[in-house]
Amino acid sequence: MSLEEAGLLPGKNHYYPRPEPGEKIPVQVVDFRRFFAAWSPDLKKSLYFENLPEAEGLKRVREVVLLKVYDWLAGREGIIELTVEEFEQFTEVYETFLRNFGEIRYFRQKKGRKTENVFELKEAPYILREVRNGLFSDKL
């Protein structure tokens, strides 16, 4: 199954946000879904399956979460492929975001030979207050 068939991104050109070292991209979460991913040497691309694939010739079969985000700096939607551990870290940040608001920032961090996806929450610079009914002249 391709990304178009999964309903994640229309068209053939997919955008994968890849921040430079030290760069943090503000993102807004649109959707996320769990898949099994495998590399196809014949097609030279990753294929995504809803069930564990049994086809031979596929390499690096793994469980992933495809996170569909809106990249505010690029001004377009993109896909971030997360491992299960990275998704757990993302879930903690996202739950805090839902409670406290703010801005979710995405960056990549080198850990040994691998690069891992990391999310952080930047607190909102403004304070949310309750709106009360009443005359403005009374408040002055």
Side-chain angles (χ1 to χ4, degrees):
M1 170 185 309
S2 65
L3 293 176
E4 297 89 15
E5 293 169 356
L8 289 171
L9 279 181
K12 291 208 176 242
N13 295 329
H14 305 300
Y15 172 64
Y16 297 95
R18 303 270 192 239
E20 297 295 323
E23 180 184 21
K24 296 179 181 180
I25 298 175
V27 295
Q28 181 174 354
V29 178
V30 177
D31 190 16
F32 56 87
R33 290 180 55 189
R34 289 187 182 270
F35 287 104
F36 288 98
W39 175 256
S40 172
D42 299 335
L43 300 174
K44 293 186 173 39
K45 67 178 187 176
S46 290
L47 300 176
Y48 300 96
F49 304 92
E50 291 189 358
N51 300 318
L52 190 62
E54 298 176 9
E56 298 208 9
L58 297 176
K59 296 184 177 184
R60 296 187 315 134
V61 178
R62 63 208 181 274
E63 185 178 0
V64 297
V65 176
L66 292 181
L67 186 66
K68 184 176 179 181
V69 297
Y70 184 81
D71 181 352
W72 286 101
L73 295 180
R76 58 193 284 196
E77 289 184 355
I79 294 287
I80 301 173
E81 185 177 304
L82 301 175
T83 62
V84 176
E85 295 82 20
E86 292 170 343
F87 183 69
E88 290 173 3
Q89 189 266 336
F90 163 76
T91 306
E92 293 173 9
V93 171
Y94 192 63
E95 287 174 357
T96 307
F97 166 76
L98 292 175
R99 281 192 308 272
N100 302 335
F101 303 108
E103 180 180 273
I104 297 177
R105 292 187 173 185
Y106 164 63
F107 62 98
R108 297 171 50 138
Q109 185 175 50
K110 281 290 246 188
K111 213 171 214 187
R113 290 180 27 190
K114 294 187 176 188
T115 303
E116 70 175 12
N117 300 308
V118 182
F119 296 88
E120 71 178 12
L121 182 66
K122 181 183 177 197
E123 296 293 327
Y126 49 86
I127 300 171
L128 297 175
R129 296 185 183 182
E130 184 180 329
V131 177
R132 295 184 217 130
N133 290 335
L135 295 174
F136 183 67
S137 59
D138 292 343
K139 294 179 183 179
L140 291 176

